[in-house]
Amino acid sequence: MEKEYFYLNGETKVGPLSLEALKYAPVTPTTLVWTNTIPDWVEARTLPELESLFNSAVPPPPPASSTVPPQASYYAEKFGNPGTPPPMPENYLVWAILTTVLCCLPLGIVSIINATKVSTLYAQGDYAGAQKAADDAKKWAMWGAIVGGIVVILYIIFIVVIGVAGGLANM
């Protein structure tokens, strides 16, 4: 089995990559890398097998691959372009907050929790998870608004009935 490498691009973990694929990654001598043969992340320059990455000229671009990574296949199916991620879904946070404040606290809180997951999941590359969280946030905000509307209508009916009953009692 070929050794697989991971590297940190900012705060994002990228990998697993073969040594050949790592040659085309934006890895510098100070980039933190990890493989299953070492216990912790180290700078790339400390691994002997990576020395060739920093001593040679820029390698030619990698050959076209027929395999599509799992995340790429998701947005290739959904948007037709495997090189570009889909747009981030609407998170419905404003609607979730309004639902919580104006009418229905429990359902609004569930909506807020789902709404705050959208950008995190999207940043992690979990586009399907981000879309599901957005859909759930919308669903809970709508149910909160519907329940709140029903409660307001019932309250108005109750007030009218009490007012009519009070008026009849004074006759």
Side-chain angles (χ1 to χ4, degrees), residues 69-80:
Q71 292 173 347
S73 66
Y74 166 77
Y75 51 76
E77 290 171 17
K78 188 135 178 126
F79 298 97

Side-chain angles (χ1 to χ4, degrees), residues 4-160:
E4 294 179 328
Y5 296 86
F6 293 82
Y7 72 93
L8 291 179
N9 186 1
E11 293 184 18
T12 305
K13 181 173 74 170
V14 180
L17 300 169
S18 66
L19 181 58
E20 185 63 28
L22 195 62
K23 292 178 183 178
Y24 304 104
V27 176
T28 66
T30 59
T31 301
L32 293 177
V33 295
W34 180 84
T35 184
N36 60 354
T37 61
I38 58 175
D40 202 5
W41 294 86
V42 296
E43 289 186 345
R45 67 176 163 222
T46 63
L47 295 177
E49 66 265 29
L50 301 183
E51 286 179 6
S52 64
L53 296 177
F54 314 117
N55 296 334
S56 64
V58 177
S65 173
S66 62
T67 60
V68 179
Q71 292 173 347
S73 66
Y74 166 77
Y75 51 76
E77 290 171 17
K78 188 135 178 126
F79 298 97
N81 185 356
T84 307
M88 187 168 88
E90 171 71 35
N91 64 12
Y92 301 100
L93 184 58
V94 172
W95 294 108
I97 292 170
L98 289 173
T99 300
T100 304
V101 171
L102 297 177
C103 61
C104 195
L105 186 68
L107 299 178
I109 289 174
V110 174
S111 182
I112 288 173
I113 290 169
N114 282 295
T116 57
K117 289 180 183 178
V118 173
S119 59
T120 304
L121 292 169
Y122 182 84
Q124 293 173 350
D126 184 1
Y127 307 121
Q131 185 62 54
K132 182 178 181 336
D135 293 343
D136 288 347
K138 180 180 179 182
K139 173 182 68 177
W140 287 105
M142 285 176 46
W143 277 109
I146 290 167
V147 168
I150 291 170
V151 168
V152 167
I153 290 170
L154 291 175
Y155 180 73
I156 291 171
I157 292 171
F158 176 75
I159 294 299
V160 169

